[in-house]
Short mmCIF file of all heavy atoms in Angstrom, two decimals:
data_model
loop_
_atom_site.label_atom_id
_atom_site.label_comp_id
_atom_site.label_asym_id
_atom_site.label_seq_id
_atom_site.Cartn_x
_atom_site.Cartn_y
_atom_site.Cartn_z
N MET A 1 -210.27 82.12 346.48
CA MET A 1 -210.32 83.14 347.51
C MET A 1 -210.72 82.48 348.83
O MET A 1 -211.61 81.65 348.86
CB MET A 1 -211.30 84.24 347.13
CG MET A 1 -210.85 85.00 345.91
SD MET A 1 -211.79 86.48 345.57
CE MET A 1 -211.25 87.54 346.88
N THR A 2 -210.08 82.88 349.87
CA THR A 2 -210.36 82.29 351.18
C THR A 2 -211.09 83.28 352.08
O THR A 2 -211.18 83.08 353.27
CB THR A 2 -209.06 81.85 351.86
OG1 THR A 2 -208.18 82.99 351.94
CG2 THR A 2 -208.39 80.74 351.06
N ARG A 3 -211.59 84.31 351.51
CA ARG A 3 -212.36 85.30 352.26
C ARG A 3 -213.61 85.66 351.48
O ARG A 3 -213.69 85.41 350.28
CB ARG A 3 -211.54 86.56 352.50
CG ARG A 3 -211.13 87.24 351.19
CD ARG A 3 -210.52 88.60 351.42
NE ARG A 3 -209.97 89.15 350.21
CZ ARG A 3 -210.69 89.72 349.24
NH1 ARG A 3 -211.99 89.80 349.32
NH2 ARG A 3 -210.10 90.21 348.16
N LYS A 4 -214.55 86.25 352.16
CA LYS A 4 -215.73 86.73 351.47
C LYS A 4 -215.32 87.89 350.56
O LYS A 4 -214.56 88.76 350.96
CB LYS A 4 -216.78 87.20 352.48
CG LYS A 4 -218.07 87.63 351.85
CD LYS A 4 -219.13 87.94 352.89
CE LYS A 4 -220.40 88.36 352.17
NZ LYS A 4 -221.51 88.54 353.07
N MET A 5 -215.82 87.86 349.34
CA MET A 5 -215.49 88.94 348.40
C MET A 5 -216.11 90.24 348.88
O MET A 5 -217.21 90.26 349.43
CB MET A 5 -216.04 88.61 347.02
CG MET A 5 -215.34 87.46 346.35
SD MET A 5 -216.04 87.15 344.71
CE MET A 5 -215.35 88.52 343.80
N GLN A 6 -215.40 91.32 348.63
CA GLN A 6 -215.96 92.63 348.91
C GLN A 6 -217.03 92.92 347.86
O GLN A 6 -216.98 92.41 346.75
CB GLN A 6 -214.87 93.69 348.86
CG GLN A 6 -213.79 93.50 349.90
CD GLN A 6 -212.63 94.45 349.69
OE1 GLN A 6 -212.65 95.33 348.83
NE2 GLN A 6 -211.60 94.26 350.48
N ASN A 7 -217.99 93.75 348.23
CA ASN A 7 -219.08 94.05 347.29
C ASN A 7 -218.58 94.66 345.99
O ASN A 7 -219.12 94.39 344.92
CB ASN A 7 -220.11 94.97 347.95
CG ASN A 7 -221.00 94.21 348.91
OD1 ASN A 7 -220.91 93.00 349.03
ND2 ASN A 7 -221.86 94.92 349.60
N ALA A 8 -217.53 95.47 346.05
CA ALA A 8 -216.99 96.06 344.82
C ALA A 8 -216.40 94.98 343.92
O ALA A 8 -216.58 95.03 342.70
CB ALA A 8 -215.92 97.10 345.17
N GLU A 9 -215.73 93.99 344.51
CA GLU A 9 -215.18 92.89 343.71
C GLU A 9 -216.29 92.06 343.09
O GLU A 9 -216.23 91.70 341.92
CB GLU A 9 -214.32 91.98 344.59
CG GLU A 9 -213.08 92.66 345.14
CD GLU A 9 -212.40 91.83 346.21
OE1 GLU A 9 -213.09 91.23 347.06
OE2 GLU A 9 -211.16 91.76 346.18
N LEU A 10 -217.29 91.74 343.89
CA LEU A 10 -218.40 90.95 343.38
C LEU A 10 -219.17 91.72 342.31
O LEU A 10 -219.57 91.15 341.29
CB LEU A 10 -219.34 90.53 344.50
CG LEU A 10 -220.44 89.55 344.11
CD1 LEU A 10 -219.87 88.29 343.49
CD2 LEU A 10 -221.31 89.22 345.30
N SER A 11 -219.33 93.01 342.51
CA SER A 11 -220.00 93.85 341.52
C SER A 11 -219.29 93.75 340.17
O SER A 11 -219.92 93.51 339.14
CB SER A 11 -220.01 95.31 342.00
OG SER A 11 -220.39 96.18 340.97
N ASN A 12 -217.99 93.90 340.19
CA ASN A 12 -217.22 93.82 338.95
C ASN A 12 -217.36 92.45 338.31
O ASN A 12 -217.58 92.34 337.10
CB ASN A 12 -215.75 94.15 339.24
CG ASN A 12 -214.94 94.26 337.97
OD1 ASN A 12 -214.72 93.28 337.28
ND2 ASN A 12 -214.47 95.46 337.69
N ALA A 13 -217.26 91.39 339.11
CA ALA A 13 -217.39 90.02 338.58
C ALA A 13 -218.77 89.80 337.97
O ALA A 13 -218.89 89.19 336.90
CB ALA A 13 -217.11 89.01 339.68
N LEU A 14 -219.81 90.29 338.62
CA LEU A 14 -221.17 90.08 338.12
C LEU A 14 -221.43 90.88 336.84
O LEU A 14 -222.17 90.43 335.97
CB LEU A 14 -222.20 90.43 339.19
CG LEU A 14 -222.24 89.47 340.37
CD1 LEU A 14 -223.23 89.95 341.42
CD2 LEU A 14 -222.59 88.06 339.93
N LYS A 15 -220.82 92.04 336.73
CA LYS A 15 -220.96 92.81 335.50
C LYS A 15 -220.30 92.07 334.33
O LYS A 15 -220.84 92.01 333.23
CB LYS A 15 -220.37 94.21 335.67
CG LYS A 15 -221.21 95.11 336.58
CD LYS A 15 -220.51 96.41 336.91
CE LYS A 15 -221.23 97.19 337.97
NZ LYS A 15 -222.08 98.23 337.46
N HIS A 16 -219.13 91.49 334.59
CA HIS A 16 -218.48 90.68 333.55
C HIS A 16 -219.34 89.46 333.23
O HIS A 16 -219.52 89.11 332.05
CB HIS A 16 -217.08 90.24 334.01
CG HIS A 16 -216.05 91.29 333.81
ND1 HIS A 16 -215.34 91.43 332.65
CD2 HIS A 16 -215.60 92.27 334.64
CE1 HIS A 16 -214.51 92.44 332.75
NE2 HIS A 16 -214.65 92.97 333.96
N TYR A 17 -219.87 88.84 334.25
CA TYR A 17 -220.75 87.68 334.06
C TYR A 17 -221.93 88.05 333.16
O TYR A 17 -222.31 87.30 332.26
CB TYR A 17 -221.24 87.16 335.41
CG TYR A 17 -222.34 86.13 335.32
CD1 TYR A 17 -222.05 84.81 335.02
CD2 TYR A 17 -223.66 86.50 335.54
CE1 TYR A 17 -223.06 83.86 334.92
CE2 TYR A 17 -224.68 85.56 335.46
CZ TYR A 17 -224.37 84.24 335.15
OH TYR A 17 -225.38 83.31 335.06
N GLN A 18 -222.50 89.23 333.39
CA GLN A 18 -223.63 89.69 332.57
C GLN A 18 -223.21 89.81 331.11
O GLN A 18 -223.97 89.45 330.21
CB GLN A 18 -224.13 91.04 333.10
CG GLN A 18 -225.39 91.51 332.45
CD GLN A 18 -225.94 92.78 333.09
OE1 GLN A 18 -225.44 93.27 334.10
NE2 GLN A 18 -226.98 93.32 332.49
N CYS A 19 -221.99 90.29 330.84
CA CYS A 19 -221.49 90.36 329.46
C CYS A 19 -221.39 88.96 328.86
O CYS A 19 -221.85 88.73 327.74
CB CYS A 19 -220.11 91.01 329.42
SG CYS A 19 -220.07 92.75 329.89
N TYR A 20 -220.79 88.03 329.60
CA TYR A 20 -220.61 86.67 329.09
C TYR A 20 -221.96 86.00 328.84
O TYR A 20 -222.13 85.27 327.86
CB TYR A 20 -219.77 85.81 330.05
CG TYR A 20 -218.43 86.42 330.39
CD1 TYR A 20 -217.92 86.34 331.68
CD2 TYR A 20 -217.67 87.09 329.44
CE1 TYR A 20 -216.69 86.88 332.00
CE2 TYR A 20 -216.44 87.64 329.75
CZ TYR A 20 -215.95 87.52 331.04
OH TYR A 20 -214.74 88.07 331.35
N LYS A 21 -222.89 86.26 329.71
CA LYS A 21 -224.23 85.68 329.55
C LYS A 21 -224.88 86.21 328.27
O LYS A 21 -225.47 85.46 327.50
CB LYS A 21 -225.09 85.98 330.77
CG LYS A 21 -226.43 85.30 330.74
CD LYS A 21 -227.21 85.54 332.02
CE LYS A 21 -228.53 84.83 331.89
NZ LYS A 21 -229.49 85.21 332.84
N TYR A 22 -224.77 87.52 328.06
CA TYR A 22 -225.33 88.12 326.84
C TYR A 22 -224.69 87.47 325.60
O TYR A 22 -225.38 87.13 324.65
CB TYR A 22 -225.08 89.63 326.84
CG TYR A 22 -225.52 90.29 325.55
CD1 TYR A 22 -226.82 90.75 325.39
CD2 TYR A 22 -224.64 90.41 324.47
CE1 TYR A 22 -227.23 91.33 324.19
CE2 TYR A 22 -225.04 90.98 323.27
CZ TYR A 22 -226.33 91.44 323.13
OH TYR A 22 -226.73 92.00 321.95
N ILE A 23 -223.38 87.33 325.64
CA ILE A 23 -222.66 86.74 324.50
C ILE A 23 -223.12 85.31 324.27
O ILE A 23 -223.41 84.91 323.14
CB ILE A 23 -221.14 86.82 324.72
CG1 ILE A 23 -220.69 88.29 324.69
CG2 ILE A 23 -220.40 85.99 323.69
CD1 ILE A 23 -219.29 88.52 325.22
N ALA A 24 -223.20 84.53 325.35
CA ALA A 24 -223.59 83.12 325.23
C ALA A 24 -224.99 82.97 324.66
O ALA A 24 -225.28 82.00 323.95
CB ALA A 24 -223.49 82.44 326.59
N GLU A 25 -225.86 83.91 324.95
CA GLU A 25 -227.25 83.83 324.50
C GLU A 25 -227.47 84.50 323.15
O GLU A 25 -228.57 84.48 322.62
CB GLU A 25 -228.17 84.44 325.55
CG GLU A 25 -228.19 83.64 326.84
CD GLU A 25 -228.95 84.33 327.98
OE1 GLU A 25 -229.34 85.51 327.82
OE2 GLU A 25 -229.13 83.68 329.02
N SER A 26 -226.44 85.11 322.57
CA SER A 26 -226.55 85.83 321.31
C SER A 26 -226.45 84.88 320.13
O SER A 26 -225.84 83.82 320.20
CB SER A 26 -225.44 86.86 321.18
OG SER A 26 -225.58 87.87 322.14
N GLN A 27 -227.04 85.31 319.04
CA GLN A 27 -226.86 84.62 317.76
C GLN A 27 -225.68 85.29 317.08
O GLN A 27 -225.69 86.49 316.84
CB GLN A 27 -228.12 84.79 316.90
CG GLN A 27 -229.36 84.18 317.51
CD GLN A 27 -229.27 82.66 317.53
OE1 GLN A 27 -228.76 82.05 316.60
NE2 GLN A 27 -229.74 82.06 318.60
N PHE A 28 -224.65 84.50 316.79
CA PHE A 28 -223.50 85.09 316.13
C PHE A 28 -222.79 84.05 315.27
O PHE A 28 -222.99 82.86 315.43
CB PHE A 28 -222.53 85.71 317.14
CG PHE A 28 -222.05 84.77 318.21
CD1 PHE A 28 -220.91 84.00 318.04
CD2 PHE A 28 -222.75 84.67 319.41
CE1 PHE A 28 -220.48 83.14 319.03
CE2 PHE A 28 -222.32 83.83 320.41
CZ PHE A 28 -221.17 83.05 320.22
N ASN A 29 -221.98 84.55 314.35
CA ASN A 29 -221.20 83.70 313.46
C ASN A 29 -219.87 83.35 314.11
O ASN A 29 -219.42 84.06 315.03
CB ASN A 29 -220.95 84.42 312.13
CG ASN A 29 -222.24 84.74 311.41
OD1 ASN A 29 -223.15 83.94 311.37
ND2 ASN A 29 -222.30 85.95 310.85
N ASN A 30 -219.23 82.33 313.60
CA ASN A 30 -217.95 81.90 314.17
C ASN A 30 -216.88 82.98 314.09
O ASN A 30 -215.96 82.98 314.89
CB ASN A 30 -217.45 80.63 313.49
CG ASN A 30 -218.21 79.42 313.97
OD1 ASN A 30 -218.81 79.44 315.04
ND2 ASN A 30 -218.19 78.35 313.18
N ASP A 31 -216.99 83.88 313.12
CA ASP A 31 -215.97 84.92 313.01
C ASP A 31 -216.34 86.20 313.78
O ASP A 31 -215.61 87.17 313.74
CB ASP A 31 -215.67 85.24 311.54
CG ASP A 31 -216.88 85.77 310.80
OD1 ASP A 31 -218.01 85.58 311.26
OD2 ASP A 31 -216.68 86.39 309.73
N ASP A 32 -217.46 86.19 314.49
CA ASP A 32 -217.85 87.34 315.31
C ASP A 32 -217.06 87.33 316.62
O ASP A 32 -216.70 86.28 317.14
CB ASP A 32 -219.34 87.30 315.64
CG ASP A 32 -220.21 87.67 314.47
OD1 ASP A 32 -219.70 88.27 313.51
OD2 ASP A 32 -221.42 87.36 314.52
N ALA A 33 -216.81 88.51 317.11
CA ALA A 33 -216.12 88.67 318.40
C ALA A 33 -216.82 89.76 319.19
O ALA A 33 -217.55 90.59 318.64
CB ALA A 33 -214.66 89.01 318.17
N PHE A 34 -216.60 89.75 320.48
CA PHE A 34 -217.15 90.76 321.37
C PHE A 34 -216.00 91.33 322.18
O PHE A 34 -215.05 90.62 322.51
CB PHE A 34 -218.17 90.14 322.33
CG PHE A 34 -219.37 89.56 321.64
CD1 PHE A 34 -219.33 88.28 321.12
CD2 PHE A 34 -220.54 90.28 321.54
CE1 PHE A 34 -220.43 87.73 320.48
CE2 PHE A 34 -221.65 89.75 320.91
CZ PHE A 34 -221.59 88.47 320.37
N LEU A 35 -216.09 92.60 322.50
CA LEU A 35 -215.08 93.25 323.34
C LEU A 35 -215.69 93.62 324.67
O LEU A 35 -216.84 94.10 324.72
CB LEU A 35 -214.54 94.50 322.66
CG LEU A 35 -213.79 94.31 321.35
CD1 LEU A 35 -213.44 95.66 320.73
CD2 LEU A 35 -212.54 93.47 321.57
N ILE A 36 -214.93 93.42 325.73
CA ILE A 36 -215.36 93.82 327.07
C ILE A 36 -214.24 94.66 327.67
O ILE A 36 -213.10 94.20 327.79
CB ILE A 36 -215.64 92.60 327.97
CG1 ILE A 36 -216.71 91.70 327.35
CG2 ILE A 36 -216.05 93.06 329.37
CD1 ILE A 36 -216.91 90.38 328.06
N PHE A 37 -214.59 95.89 328.04
CA PHE A 37 -213.63 96.79 328.68
C PHE A 37 -214.20 97.23 330.02
O PHE A 37 -215.42 97.31 330.19
CB PHE A 37 -213.42 98.06 327.84
CG PHE A 37 -212.82 97.81 326.49
CD1 PHE A 37 -213.58 97.93 325.34
CD2 PHE A 37 -211.49 97.46 326.36
CE1 PHE A 37 -213.04 97.71 324.09
CE2 PHE A 37 -210.93 97.24 325.11
CZ PHE A 37 -211.70 97.37 323.97
N GLU A 38 -213.32 97.54 330.94
CA GLU A 38 -213.76 98.18 332.17
C GLU A 38 -213.79 99.68 331.94
O GLU A 38 -213.20 100.19 330.98
CB GLU A 38 -212.86 97.76 333.32
CG GLU A 38 -213.03 96.27 333.59
CD GLU A 38 -212.41 95.78 334.87
OE1 GLU A 38 -211.94 96.60 335.68
OE2 GLU A 38 -212.42 94.55 335.07
N ASP A 39 -214.46 100.39 332.82
CA ASP A 39 -214.71 101.81 332.57
C ASP A 39 -213.49 102.71 332.76
O ASP A 39 -213.56 103.90 332.53
CB ASP A 39 -215.88 102.32 333.42
CG ASP A 39 -215.66 102.18 334.91
OD1 ASP A 39 -214.56 101.75 335.34
OD2 ASP A 39 -216.60 102.47 335.67
N ASP A 40 -212.36 102.14 333.14
CA ASP A 40 -211.15 102.96 333.25
C ASP A 40 -210.23 102.78 332.05
O ASP A 40 -209.08 103.24 332.06
CB ASP A 40 -210.41 102.66 334.55
CG ASP A 40 -210.00 101.19 334.68
OD1 ASP A 40 -210.44 100.36 333.87
OD2 ASP A 40 -209.24 100.89 335.63
N VAL A 41 -210.74 102.17 330.98
CA VAL A 41 -209.93 101.97 329.78
C VAL A 41 -209.59 103.31 329.14
O VAL A 41 -210.42 104.22 329.09
CB VAL A 41 -210.64 101.04 328.76
CG1 VAL A 41 -211.89 101.67 328.20
CG2 VAL A 41 -209.68 100.65 327.64
N ILE A 42 -208.35 103.42 328.73
CA ILE A 42 -207.89 104.60 327.98
C ILE A 42 -207.15 104.05 326.78
O ILE A 42 -206.16 103.34 326.93
CB ILE A 42 -206.97 105.50 328.83
CG1 ILE A 42 -207.73 106.03 330.05
CG2 ILE A 42 -206.41 106.63 327.97
CD1 ILE A 42 -206.86 106.77 331.04
N PHE A 43 -207.62 104.36 325.61
CA PHE A 43 -206.98 103.89 324.39
C PHE A 43 -205.76 104.76 324.10
O PHE A 43 -205.89 105.93 323.78
CB PHE A 43 -207.97 103.91 323.22
CG PHE A 43 -209.11 102.96 323.40
CD1 PHE A 43 -210.36 103.42 323.78
CD2 PHE A 43 -208.91 101.59 323.23
CE1 PHE A 43 -211.41 102.53 323.97
CE2 PHE A 43 -209.95 100.70 323.42
CZ PHE A 43 -211.20 101.17 323.79
N LYS A 44 -204.58 104.16 324.26
CA LYS A 44 -203.34 104.88 324.01
C LYS A 44 -203.09 105.04 322.52
O LYS A 44 -202.40 105.94 322.08
CB LYS A 44 -202.17 104.15 324.67
CG LYS A 44 -202.26 104.14 326.18
CD LYS A 44 -201.10 103.38 326.78
CE LYS A 44 -201.24 103.34 328.28
NZ LYS A 44 -200.15 102.58 328.90
N LYS A 45 -203.63 104.10 321.76
CA LYS A 45 -203.56 104.13 320.30
C LYS A 45 -204.97 103.87 319.80
O LYS A 45 -205.85 103.52 320.56
CB LYS A 45 -202.61 103.06 319.78
CG LYS A 45 -201.19 103.24 320.25
CD LYS A 45 -200.32 102.11 319.76
CE LYS A 45 -198.91 102.27 320.32
NZ LYS A 45 -198.06 101.14 319.97
N SER A 46 -205.17 103.97 318.53
CA SER A 46 -206.49 103.73 317.97
C SER A 46 -206.99 102.33 318.33
O SER A 46 -206.24 101.36 318.21
CB SER A 46 -206.45 103.87 316.45
OG SER A 46 -207.68 103.44 315.91
N PRO A 47 -208.23 102.23 318.78
CA PRO A 47 -208.78 100.90 319.11
C PRO A 47 -208.83 99.97 317.91
O PRO A 47 -208.98 98.76 318.08
CB PRO A 47 -210.19 101.20 319.61
CG PRO A 47 -210.29 102.65 319.77
CD PRO A 47 -209.16 103.30 319.04
N SER A 48 -208.67 100.49 316.71
CA SER A 48 -208.68 99.61 315.53
C SER A 48 -207.51 98.65 315.56
O SER A 48 -207.54 97.60 314.90
CB SER A 48 -208.67 100.43 314.24
OG SER A 48 -207.48 101.18 314.16
#
């Protein structure tokens, strides 16, 4: 990016960063996974 990020953009990036940080600091098995969605997600089919 060649411009200063807007606060809304930085907010979204930092929220994602917070998720990644939580995951990195978690105790988990190799077969564990984490899901990250934004708040406008709409499941068109079952999330399963």
Side-chain angles (χ1 to χ4, degrees):
M1 295 190 71
T2 56
R3 61 170 172 78
K4 184 174 180 174
M5 292 181 74
Q6 297 172 5
N7 283 356
E9 295 169 319
L10 187 57
S11 168
N12 188 292
L14 291 176
K15 288 171 189 262
H16 278 272
Y17 170 79
Q18 188 174 354
C19 294
Y20 305 141
K21 186 176 180 194
Y22 175 89
I23 293 167
E25 294 172 352
S26 294
Q27 298 291 321
F28 55 90
N29 298 319
N30 284 339
D31 62 341
D32 286 343
F34 297 84
L35 296 174
I36 301 172
F37 297 108
E38 294 192 6
D39 60 4
D40 59 350
V41 66
I42 298 172
F43 295 103
K44 295 179 182 179
K45 298 177 183 175
S46 171
S48 63

